[in-house]
Amino acid sequence: MENNAALRQKIVSLAVAAGEGGFSERELADAGHALSAVGFSSLAYMRLIDSIENELGVYLDPEADVEHYESIDSIAALVVASSGEVHA
């Protein structure tokens, strides 16, 4: 798995893309990397989860507790934790 800074930056980029122009990387940073603070929609969350799975090869459960998806840091922690799991 990528180092933490590179992983966080990758997730930021994927989140901005999933948000389809609703906010910039700077606006996300100004919001403390909290996705709800920039108006991230449920559809954007699904796009982000799909992008992470495709780009990083890590399965993320879209039904996981919402706190796992609240911020870039919590998503990065989930990706790191999930990267060691095997999914059939």
Side-chain angles (χ1 to χ4, degrees):
M1 188 56 50
E2 302 175 44
N3 72 50
N4 286 344
L7 176 61
R8 284 184 81 250
Q9 183 54 47
K10 181 68 171 180
I11 294 170
V12 165
S13 296
L14 293 173
V16 170
E20 294 189 321
F23 57 92
S24 67
E25 286 188 24
R26 180 68 188 163
E27 289 168 319
L28 184 56
D30 289 346
H33 292 106
L35 295 171
S36 62
V38 293
F40 216 62
S41 69
S42 57
L43 182 57
Y45 278 107
M46 295 309 296
R47 284 193 297 260
L48 176 58
I49 290 168
D50 189 53
S51 294
I52 290 170
E53 290 176 351
N54 290 332
E55 296 276 333
L56 302 176
V58 175
Y59 172 78
L60 298 180
D61 183 0
E63 308 264 333
D65 292 333
V66 69
E67 66 263 6
H68 293 298
Y69 298 109
E70 291 179 342
S71 70
I72 297 301
D73 287 335
S74 62
I75 294 170
L78 184 60
V79 168
V80 169
S82 297
S83 67
E85 296 177 12
V86 176
H87 297 278

